[in-house]
Amino acid sequence: MTAGSDGEMRRRWAWVASAATALIAAAWWLRAASPAALMLATVGAVAMLVLGARLASGKRRAAIAGALVVLASVAAVPGQRALQQLRSDWPAYAARTERDGLTALQREVAQGVTKARAAARAALDMPRPPAGTMRLPEAPASGGDIGVVRYQDTLVVGWSGVMRVSPERLTAPVGAVFTPFYLVAYATEVRDGARATATVLVHAEPPADQLAAALDESVMAQSGVGKFAYASVAAAGSFELVEVDGQPLFAARAVAPTPMAAEVAVLERSRGLVGPLLALALLAMVAAAWGRGATLRIRLVALWVVLAAVAATPLNVYSNTSRIFDPAVYFARFGGPFTATLAALAATSATALLALLALQRSPGRVLSRRQAAVAVVVIAALGPLLLRDLAQGIVLPSDGASFALWAAWQGALFLAAMAIVVAGTAAGRDALAARRGLSPAVGPTLAALAAGAAPLLWRAPEGWPDWYTAVWALAILALALARRSPWFIVSCALVAGPGAVTLVWGATSRARVELARADVVRLRTPDR
């Protein structure tokens, strides 16, 4: 090895070390929101950019990874500053939140009324049909539900959207209406004997807020206000008037959340920005570390960084974004943070699969023939049991599973099954050495037969007979002892795929049986 290549290798290791520091620190900030973690992530990101510029190859990918971590650190700064302010001086933070919330509400109401006016004018611009009613153009998107109705004299001749109040008496140019459940602002346009009124929903009281989209919901989410209280103009009192073009519509008062709720809201907004950037940075880091000239050790260390980030990141806080982050639909306790959600299981399995593929393609043996033979038997025997335990983490929602959730369950278990099958084939390669093995079609054939027989053998509530697991073990063993083929990845997929489908089907079938039994028990209990 030349001095130049030695220097390049040291620079690569230095870059990987800085990337590990930055990414793990950023992941830890998502969990603890620590200023020290944010500072460490920022320093590591700068080091990634500096060291990446000195690499002989892969500079662009290294720069992209470093830039993404820098962006994640910058996105975390406002949230970190807000957390420090609310922890050190809560009264001042609460007063500022209320003031900013009222300003945002005033702005959104003005924009909503402007859109309502535009919708009313558009309704009047449409030519009236000679008979019957017409469908008016949809109003521009707004934070609250918008509805439009057009009258000719006293007859309704057209409408669109959702009207939360009766529009017959809404004749003022602008105004607001209170009902027991809704606060609605409106705008009215009159032209040539025709009248068009457009309404925008400002606020909805529970339980109506579950049926309607109100404008103040987005204001509360963006400003951090706990809630808004409303009053009529005549009963404004200490409330502040909300006006449009100098015309007061109603009075409002912003109420700050509790300190704990405010902290949760700040963290949720910050995590929504930092988390996706961190995920992209991890992918870019792996792509850079696995570039031309990277050694097996560097590639494995890069994958270790991914696993460390998965363990440090509280993925469950993103459950409102997607159900793959929701422990209520998947949680396997025995794997800790690596199997706590579908996203964690998928990321862990994909990382393990990449590591095994790297080992599979490395020159030379990883294990001796005796060690490899033992590994093949252990993987074939314990692999199906491990996958069965992973499948037991599936939780069927009471309202059933959507196609997307089915796909997520199967995708995560497929990656886990692929990792186990590839591990078996890697060990089988070392066990067989240069000897000729079985046909590559034997393993997929056994897997197809086992999957096809699964519905016939399954009995509620016990599931499959004990010997059924041995069929999958034989399929993995046959694939591990198969002769080398350029289609070995396809062969692995043909074993892992049916296995994942069977496991998900069995887990959900068992869950359906348990739900049915619970329903029967409730039916037997008298309801006084």
Side-chain angles (χ1 to χ4, degrees):
M1 184 176 289
T2 64
S5 61
D6 286 341
E8 173 66 11
M9 192 57 59
R10 285 193 295 269
R11 288 191 291 271
R12 283 188 175 275
W13 275 111
W15 184 86
V16 170
S18 64
T21 302
L23 292 167
I24 295 175
W28 187 254
W29 184 88
L30 289 173
R31 177 177 295 275
S34 166
L38 181 57
M39 181 63 67
L40 191 60
T42 304
V43 172
V46 173
M48 289 174 67
L49 292 174
V50 173
L51 295 172
R54 299 177 58 192
L55 295 177
S57 62
K59 292 182 180 181
R60 180 177 300 177
R61 283 175 287 186
I64 292 174
L68 286 170
V69 183
V70 169
L71 289 176
S73 300
V74 171
V77 169
Q80 187 67 60
R81 184 183 296 115
L83 288 174
Q84 292 175 346
Q85 290 173 349
L86 70 88
R87 290 168 180 171
S88 61
D89 191 356
W90 168 249
Y93 182 87
R96 184 171 57 254
T97 300
E98 292 175 353
R99 183 175 62 253
D100 294 344
L102 276 175
T103 302
L105 180 65
Q106 174 72 59
R107 182 176 60 251
E108 291 297 321
V109 169
Q111 293 177 357
V113 171
T114 299
K115 293 177 180 178
R117 280 175 174 164
R121 290 168 184 162
L124 293 178
D125 290 338
M126 288 191 65
R128 180 186 174 185
T133 59
M134 60 183 173
R135 181 70 175 176
L136 299 179
E138 293 292 334
S142 174
D145 289 341
I146 288 185
V148 189
V149 63
R150 175 176 165 176
Y151 289 89
Q152 192 71 37
D153 297 325
T154 60
L155 297 177
V156 175
V157 295
W159 69 88
S160 72
V162 180
M163 305 291 292
R164 298 295 176 182
V165 295
S166 179
E168 285 86 356
R169 298 182 181 180
L170 306 183
T171 57
V174 293
V177 178
F178 284 89
T179 73
F181 287 108
Y182 299 116
L183 168 58
V184 174
Y186 68 89
T188 298
E189 294 287 331
V190 179
R191 187 190 308 163
D192 299 331
R195 175 170 64 90
T197 299
T199 62
V200 56
L201 181 61
V202 177
H203 174 71
E205 287 287 336
D209 58 342
Q210 302 298 317
L211 307 173
L215 183 147
D216 62 355
E217 294 176 358
S218 60
V219 176
M220 288 188 291
Q222 294 170 8
S223 63
V225 172
K227 66 176 182 178
F228 286 102
Y230 298 95
S232 64
V233 175
S238 61
F239 287 33
E240 293 193 19
L241 295 177
V242 175
E243 302 177 345
V244 174
D245 297 337
Q247 173 67 37
L249 302 182
F250 53 86
R253 178 168 60 88
V255 180
T258 63
M260 181 176 294
E263 186 167 332
V264 170
V266 169
L267 284 173
E268 185 175 354
R269 290 195 299 269
S270 298
R271 286 166 173 164
L273 296 173
V274 177
L277 290 172
L278 177 60
L280 293 175
L282 285 168
L283 293 175
M285 182 274 300
V286 172
W290 279 51
R292 185 186 309 169
T295 63
L296 177 62
R297 289 184 179 180
I298 288 179
R299 294 180 175 181
L300 295 180
V301 169
L303 296 178
W304 172 84
V305 173
V306 175
L307 292 178
V310 170
T313 303
L315 294 175
N316 60 300
V317 301
Y318 297 98
S319 58
N320 290 335
T321 304
S322 173
R323 303 192 81 170
I324 65 172
F325 302 105
D326 191 354
V329 299
Y330 183 85
F331 178 76
R333 187 182 302 275
F334 70 91
F338 302 109
T339 59
T341 63
L342 278 173
L345 175 61
T348 301
S349 301
T351 304
L353 180 59
L354 280 176
L356 290 167
L357 289 175
L359 291 171
Q360 178 87 348
R361 296 179 179 180
S362 62
R365 287 187 179 183
V366 178
L367 302 173
S368 67
R369 288 190 61 185
R370 181 174 298 177
Q371 292 172 335
V374 173
V376 168
V377 175
V378 170
I379 292 171
L382 300 183
L385 300 178
L386 174 60
L387 291 172
R388 183 197 61 188
D389 291 343
L390 288 175
Q392 289 176 355
I394 293 175
V395 180
L396 184 67
S398 58
D399 58 347
S402 63
F403 174 79
L405 186 56
W406 269 85
W409 282 330
Q410 294 182 6
L413 288 175
F414 170 75
L415 289 173
M418 278 291 290
I420 291 174
V421 172
V422 170
T425 59
R429 181 193 66 175
D430 292 342
L432 289 175
R435 296 185 179 182
R436 185 177 179 86
L438 300 174
S439 169
V442 175
T445 301
L446 289 174
L449 292 174
L456 303 176
L457 298 174
W458 196 85
R459 294 292 181 271
E462 296 83 6
W464 290 293
D466 295 335
W467 57 265
Y468 179 71
T469 305
V471 181
W472 289 101
L474 289 175
I476 296 175
L477 182 64
L479 190 61
L481 299 179
R483 58 179 177 267
R484 295 293 295 168
S485 167
W487 301 96
F488 91 97
I489 286 293
V490 176
S491 300
C492 293
L494 292 177
V495 172
V501 173
T502 302
L503 287 169
V504 173
W505 181 86
T508 53
S509 298
R510 185 177 290 107
R512 287 193 183 94
V513 170
E514 292 300 324
L515 289 174
R517 293 175 67 179
D519 288 341
V520 171
V521 170
R522 284 195 293 268
L523 290 173
R524 293 174 179 174
T525 303
D527 185 354
R528 297 186 182 275

